[in-house]
């Protein structure tokens, strides 16, 4: 169509999906704030009357606005002037109530709802500076607006005086918003190519996705057009999945969406299992804060969550702690009021655990942070994949940015990457795990004094996955010269002495299957009678080590200590386990790369997963998940059960049948509580984001 009196700035086409032969509407907004309404009476037969087309027009039918009277049988036209004082930037038609919804950057008429008949009163929302975009959902009776002030606002359908919620976080003009009703979430997209996902219920940002379009250049304003978002949501044709398209210049980003909840809890959800927006996220670290009775978890999507240990409820949520970088490790300061996190890009940050405030950003000198250690003098030691040790002095620092000290006193650079770090205050030493050995350092001299290495029968030196000090043995003068350091290499758990000429004090293969690894170790540090190990198949084992590691052993394969309990805690590899001693009871904290963190009793009863809907009470076992028929019965391995012989050391080719249990019987595998596959926060899979380059506009793709 041609011949409009002014520039057209917004468009909306509506038709009845169930009855496509019924009249359809074309709504067009212009730069004068008016709305053009074209109703096509029989769209399936044609929008206009057939007109003879000349060869020069190449098959195009040109219809001029002032000639619409010649098409009265097929289309009707009406112009509604002065709806806004500024150009119309968005139009939506709500078919149920026959209401036309428009928006502009006018402060007096930011969003206007009016009936097609113009007989009913208008609803007018006023936002200082107007709005750049809006979306409406009839089922939720919700309006969402975006503005040049970088704010996303949620409004009730019939309340124009103030918003239901104000969503802050964008750093550039919000160009487009979209309501995803199946999961009650909101997409918002800003000029700096940042896509944010918001939860409608709790009014929180669930995820930030920065789209790296090839056409984006620093210090230049990107070309997005007036409608960068295109949300295709149910109902859709069969075998068509909902998805979101984001356009920038001649590129498109495609994000696949989940249609519905397929399990899980709406109240909190398993926040790490699928991230904060449904992306499959791996937990990378977890720890217990005994002072605040909290559990802190970190994930690969740079999210930090703080949970109440006594109930499993989330207390604090920090999104994008390190931008888009994966969290790699964390630790607490001596007061246990501050959290220190490290990421894969070498950045280190210090957080206030009471309010989530970022207190310090430490100068990055490592390529990837793999270990953090807070010393009693308010000094932080960091290690990583840069073959060096970095120290920070936080005792007197009040600045946000803290520089690293010149260097660790030792001038010896590591020959390999450092994978883990642990501290023994009683002996004033630290131990570092590398690709093939454990290096023990004296803190006083900052010099290494011991190298511990375990070779396989084939002569290979496997990487050290994790290590811990048995603190009670180190304090006890009769035990400190025994096996006080425990490491894991290729599935073998090794006990080491730090003093004397002989350092090998026993080792055994912990997993029940060959070629597996132990990624997490913990002990009850008050007595060191228990050792808890977690392997790559998600199995958690509790060992009696009260009398293990007290004598020098040179055998190739050592007898295993008594296995007290064993169960499969998670469906994925266990990345962290911790023994919690509380009020004469012992619990075990576990975190897995299946995205969940859970709590267990010592004998294997499942307390619950952090973030589940049903809260627990640690003083009332009736609230535990195992006692409420929410999981199957647990299989326990008792101390009086005969044990399966340990497999051959790595490299010998020893195999173990999956059907063999430690007692030589067929064992019913307990899978533990299986995390829900999709939660309330399920949205899109980041791996499905692809950029398309086209030579045509967004609407022709």
């Amino acid at each position: 169509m041609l011949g409009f009196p002014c520039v057209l700035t917004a468009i909306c086409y509506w038709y009845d999906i169930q009855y496509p032969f019924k009249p359809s509407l074309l709504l067009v907004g212009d730069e004068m704030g008016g709305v053009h309404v074209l109703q096509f009476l029989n769209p399936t037969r044609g929008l206009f009357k057939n007109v003879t087309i000349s060869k020069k027009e190449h098959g195009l039918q040109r219809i001029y606005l002032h000639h619409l009277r010649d098409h009265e049988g097929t289309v009707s036209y009406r112009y509604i002037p002065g709806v806004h004082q500024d150009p119309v930037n968005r139009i939506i038609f709500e078919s149920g109530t026959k209401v036309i919804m428009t928006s502009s950057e006018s402060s007096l008429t930011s969003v206007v709802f009016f009936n097609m008949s113009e007989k009913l009163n208008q609803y007018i929302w006023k936002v200082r500076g107007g709005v750049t975009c809006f979306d409406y959902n009839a089922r939720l009776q919700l309006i969402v607006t975006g503005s040049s002030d970088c704010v996303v606002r949620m409004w009730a359908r019939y309340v124009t005086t103030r918003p239901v919620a104000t969503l802050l976080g964008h750093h550039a003009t919000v160009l487009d918003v979209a309501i995803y009703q199946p999961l009650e979430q909101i997409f918002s997209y800003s000029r700096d190519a940042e896509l944010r996902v918001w939860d409608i219920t709790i009014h929180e940002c669930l995820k930030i996705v920065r789209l790296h379009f090839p056409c984006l250049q620093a210090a230049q304003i990107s070309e997005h057009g007036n409608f960068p978002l295109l949300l295709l949501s149910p109902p859709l044709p069969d075998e068509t999945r909902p998805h979101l398209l984001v356009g920038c210049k001649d590129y498109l980003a495609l994000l696949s969406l989940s249609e519905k909840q397929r399990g899980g809890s709406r109240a909190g959800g398993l926040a790490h299992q699928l991230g904060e927006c449904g992306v499959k996220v791996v937990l990378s670290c977890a720890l217990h804060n005994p002072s605040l009775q909290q559990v802190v978890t970190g994930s690969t999507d740079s999210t930090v969550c703080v949970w109440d240990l006594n109930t499993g409820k989330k207390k604090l949520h920090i999104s994008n702690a390190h931008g888009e970088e994966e969290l790699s490790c964390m630790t607490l300061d001596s007061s246990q009021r501050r959290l220190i996190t490290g990421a894969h890009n070498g950045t280190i940050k210090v957080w206030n655990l009471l309010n989530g405030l970022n207190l310090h950003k430490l100068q990055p000198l490592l390529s990837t942070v793999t270990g953090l250690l807070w010393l009693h003098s308010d000094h932080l030691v960091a290690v990583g994949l840069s073959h060096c040790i970095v120290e920070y002095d936080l005792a007197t620092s009040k600045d946000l940015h803290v520089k690293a000290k010149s260097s660790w006193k030792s001038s010896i650079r590591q020959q390999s990457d450092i994978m883990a770090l642990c501290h023994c205050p009683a002996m004033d030493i630290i131990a570092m795990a590398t690709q093939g050995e454990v290096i023990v350092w004296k803190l006083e001299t900052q010099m290494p004094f011991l190298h511990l290495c375990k070779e396989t029968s084939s002569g290979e030196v496997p990487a050290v996955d994790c290590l811990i000090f048995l603190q009670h043995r180190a304090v006890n003068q009769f035990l400190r010269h025994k096996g006080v350091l425990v490491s894991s290499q290729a599935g073998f758990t090794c006990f080491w002495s730090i003093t004397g000429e002989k350092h090998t004090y026993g080792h055994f293969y912990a997993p029940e299957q060959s070629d597996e690894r132990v990624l997490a170790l913990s002990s009850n540090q008050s007595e060191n009678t228990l050792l808890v190990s977690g392997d790559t198949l998600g199995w958690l084992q509790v060992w009696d080590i009260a009398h293990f590691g007290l004598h020098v052993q040179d055998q190739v394969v050592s007898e295993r200590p008594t296995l007290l309990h064993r169960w499969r805690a998670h469906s994925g590899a266990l990345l962290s386990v911790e023994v919690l001693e509380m009020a004469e009871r012992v619990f075990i904290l576990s975190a897995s790369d299946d995205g969940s963190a859970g709590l267990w009793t010592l004998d294997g009863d499942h307390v619950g997963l952090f973030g589940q809907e049903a809260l627990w009470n640690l003083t009332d076992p009736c609230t535990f998940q195992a006692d409420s028929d929410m999981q199957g019965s647990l299989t326990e391995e008792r101390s009086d059960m005969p044990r399966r012989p340990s497999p051959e050391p790595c490299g010998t080719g020893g195999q173990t049948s999956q059907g063999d249990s430690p007692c030589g019987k067929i064992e019913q595998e307990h899978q533990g509580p299986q995390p829900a596959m999709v939660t309330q926060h399920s949205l899109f899979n980041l791996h499905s984001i692809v950029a398309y380059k086209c030579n045509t506009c967004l609407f022709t793709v």
Side-chain angles (χ1 to χ4, degrees):
M1 288 188 61
L2 304 173
F4 285 91
C6 52
V7 176
L8 305 180
T9 56
I11 189 171
C12 171
Y13 181 74
W14 174 89
Y15 72 98
D16 195 323
I17 298 177
Q18 295 182 345
Y19 305 99
F21 53 86
K22 289 188 175 181
S24 61
L25 283 176
L26 178 64
L27 306 174
V28 184
D30 60 32
E31 63 177 348
M32 302 301 294
V35 176
H36 305 260
V37 181
L38 290 90
Q39 186 175 29
F40 300 102
L41 305 180
N42 197 337
T44 57
R45 294 186 178 181
L47 302 182
F48 304 96
K49 289 183 178 180
N50 292 330
V51 178
T52 302
I53 302 173
S54 65
K55 295 182 179 180
K56 295 182 179 181
E57 293 177 325
H58 301 289
L60 295 178
Q61 183 177 356
R62 299 178 183 273
I63 305 295
Y64 288 87
L65 186 65
H66 59 275
H67 290 161
L68 281 181
R69 59 180 178 270
D70 299 332
H71 301 267
E72 291 182 354
T74 58
V75 61
S76 65
Y77 169 77
R78 181 160 54 101
Y79 180 63
I80 306 174
V83 179
H84 298 273
Q85 286 76 27
D86 289 342
V88 178
N89 53 33
R90 191 65 49 92
I91 297 183
I92 295 176
F93 179 68
E94 208 286 296
S95 59
T97 57
K98 305 296 182 183
V99 169
I100 298 174
M101 310 170 182
T102 60
S103 65
S104 74
E105 295 191 62
S106 168
S107 299
L108 298 178
T109 54
S110 304
V111 179
V112 178
F113 284 17
F114 60 93
N115 194 276
M116 278 189 61
S117 63
E118 299 185 72
K119 295 180 180 179
L120 302 178
N121 294 333
Q122 293 183 346
Y123 285 86
I124 300 176
W125 285 262
K126 300 178 181 180
V127 179
R128 181 176 298 179
V131 302
T132 54
C133 54
F134 83 100
D135 193 16
Y136 171 74
N137 185 275
R139 181 172 298 180
L140 299 177
Q141 292 289 288
L142 176 68
I143 307 163
V144 178
T145 62
S147 306
S148 58
D149 61 1
C150 313
V151 178
V152 176
R153 295 175 175 86
M154 297 169 54
W155 306 81
R157 168 64 175 84
Y158 296 102
V159 180
T160 63
T161 53
R162 60 181 179 180
V164 174
T166 301
L167 310 179
L168 305 176
H170 279 292
H171 304 287
T173 299
V174 180
L175 298 179
D176 212 346
V177 293
I179 301 173
Y180 190 45
Q181 190 272 327
L183 295 176
E184 296 187 7
Q185 293 168 337
I186 297 169
F187 295 99
S188 62
Y189 183 74
S190 55
R191 191 178 297 278
D192 55 359
E194 180 181 277
L195 178 70
R196 286 184 176 248
V197 186
W198 310 85
D199 186 282
I200 291 176
T201 305
I202 61 177
H203 307 156
E204 289 185 0
C205 181
L206 305 179
K207 185 67 179 179
I208 301 175
V209 181
R210 293 178 176 87
L211 300 176
H212 301 287
F213 290 102
C215 58
L216 295 178
Q217 297 183 7
Q220 291 188 8
I221 299 177
S222 54
E223 300 178 17
H224 284 97
N226 295 332
F227 311 98
L229 292 186
L230 177 60
L231 175 62
L232 298 181
S233 59
L236 292 170
D238 294 339
E239 300 182 358
T240 301
R241 294 184 58 83
H243 55 271
L244 178 71
L245 283 170
V246 186
C248 180
K249 204 172 182 179
D250 52 356
Y251 287 89
L252 290 177
L254 173 66
L255 296 86
S256 297
L257 310 180
S258 294
E259 291 187 57
K260 58 183 179 180
Q261 277 181 237
R262 290 177 286 179
S265 161
R266 284 189 50 82
L270 303 179
H272 282 299
Q273 181 213 335
L274 288 160
E276 289 299 330
C277 74
V279 182
K280 182 67 176 179
V281 173
V282 176
L283 280 183
S284 53
C285 43
L287 58 82
H288 170 228
N289 186 335
S291 176
L292 299 179
Q293 290 294 290
Q294 295 174 341
V295 168
V296 185
T297 56
S299 65
T300 56
D301 69 343
S302 202
T303 297
V304 175
C305 287
V306 181
W307 311 88
D308 182 7
L309 177 63
N310 294 298
T311 63
K313 183 179 180 180
K314 184 161 64 174
K315 305 289 290 185
L316 184 66
H317 178 93
I318 303 174
S319 298
N320 294 91
H322 289 259
E324 294 183 341
E325 295 297 329
E326 298 181 7
L327 289 178
S328 54
C329 59
M330 60 174 59
T331 190
L332 297 171
D333 75 335
S334 54
S335 70
Q336 299 181 348
R337 296 294 193 274
R338 287 181 289 179
L339 175 73
I340 303 93
T341 58
H344 276 272
N345 63 346
T347 57
I348 304 173
K349 295 185 179 182
V350 183
W351 308 85
N352 186 329
L353 274 176
L354 300 179
N355 54 22
L357 181 64
N358 184 198
L359 302 176
H360 301 291
K361 297 180 180 179
L362 310 188
Q363 180 184 4
L365 295 180
L366 302 169
S367 59
T368 296
V369 184
T370 57
L372 294 167
L373 174 62
W374 188 280
L375 302 179
H376 56 81
S377 57
D378 280 355
H379 281 230
L380 180 71
V381 174
V383 297
L385 304 185
S386 299
H387 300 186
C388 64
I389 304 168
V390 182
E391 185 178 3
Y392 301 90
D393 184 2
L394 297 172
T396 58
S397 177
K398 296 182 180 180
D399 298 329
L400 175 64
H401 296 276
V402 179
K403 291 186 177 181
K405 295 186 66 175
S406 57
S407 67
W408 188 260
K409 286 185 180 179
S410 172
S411 60
I412 303 176
R413 285 179 61 87
Q414 301 305 304
Q415 300 302 313
S416 60
D417 296 330
I418 303 173
M419 309 305 297
L421 178 68
C422 67
H423 179 216
C424 182
M427 304 178 71
D428 198 32
I429 57 176
I430 61 175
M432 300 179 185
T434 68
Q435 292 292 343
E437 64 179 355
V438 177
I439 305 175
V440 185
W441 299 66
K442 289 184 179 179
L443 281 176
E444 183 180 1
T445 61
Q446 295 186 355
M447 294 289 294
F449 71 93
L450 186 61
H451 294 255
L452 304 172
C453 179
K454 179 189 181 301
E455 295 184 1
T456 64
S457 59
S458 62
E460 298 178 356
V461 181
V464 179
D465 294 312
C466 59
L467 68 168
I468 62 167
F469 276 108
L470 302 179
Q471 304 293 349
H472 173 72
R473 292 189 181 186
V475 173
N476 191 317
Q477 59 178 340
F478 300 105
L479 299 176
R480 67 186 310 174
H481 303 297
K482 308 295 183 180
V484 297
L485 177 64
V486 185
S487 66
S488 170
Q489 293 176 259
F492 280 87
T493 301
C494 307
F495 285 67
W496 306 95
S497 171
I498 305 303
T499 60
E501 296 182 359
K502 296 287 186 178
H503 302 291
T504 303
Y505 270 69
H507 57 268
F508 64 93
Y509 189 82
E512 292 301 313
Q513 298 186 24
S514 60
D515 298 326
E516 298 300 330
R517 295 158 57 198
V518 172
L519 303 180
L521 291 170
S522 184
S523 177
N524 58 331
Q525 296 295 1
S526 63
E527 298 178 340
N528 290 145
T529 57
L530 302 173
L531 179 71
V532 178
S533 62
D535 63 27
T536 48
L537 288 180
W539 287 86
L540 194 150
Q541 295 124 333
V542 182
W543 309 90
D544 181 359
I545 61 166
H547 304 288
F548 191 87
L550 301 181
H551 305 283
V552 175
Q553 295 184 4
D554 294 324
Q555 301 95 315
V556 175
V557 178
S558 172
E559 182 183 356
R560 305 203 307 179
T562 302
L563 178 60
L564 300 178
H565 309 289
R566 174 180 180 269
W567 66 92
R568 193 172 189 188
H570 298 269
S571 60
L574 287 173
L575 303 177
S576 175
V577 296
E578 191 167 350
V579 178
L580 315 182
E581 300 177 85
M582 304 171 52
E584 301 181 354
R585 293 201 65 177
V586 177
F587 296 92
I588 298 175
L589 168 67
S590 63
S592 167
D593 68 359
D594 67 7
S596 62
L599 193 64
W600 312 81
T601 64
L602 182 60
D603 56 1
D605 285 336
H606 187 224
V607 177
L609 292 176
F610 290 94
Q612 67 181 29
E613 183 176 6
L615 302 181
W616 62 72
N617 184 347
L618 291 185
T619 62
D620 183 8
C622 294
T623 63
F624 296 174
Q625 185 169 342
D627 291 339
S628 58
D629 297 328
M630 295 179 68
Q631 66 172 31
S633 60
L634 295 173
T635 300
E636 300 179 354
E637 304 298 336
R638 298 300 179 184
S639 59
D640 56 351
M641 292 180 179
R643 300 182 302 277
R644 176 181 60 81
S646 300
E648 296 296 322
C650 294
T652 63
Q655 298 294 324
T656 304
S657 172
Q658 293 185 7
D660 293 340
S661 71
C663 59
K665 302 176 182 179
I666 300 299
E667 178 180 346
Q668 180 182 359
E669 180 180 303
H670 165 60
Q671 296 288 342
Q674 297 304 302
M677 292 305 296
V678 177
T679 68
Q680 171 194 8
H681 301 315
S682 299
L683 272 180
F684 52 81
N685 186 346
L686 284 181
H687 298 294
S688 68
I689 298 179
V690 289
Y692 296 93
K693 182 162 181 156
C694 55
N695 296 320
T696 54
C697 66
L698 173 66
F699 299 105
T700 61
V701 175

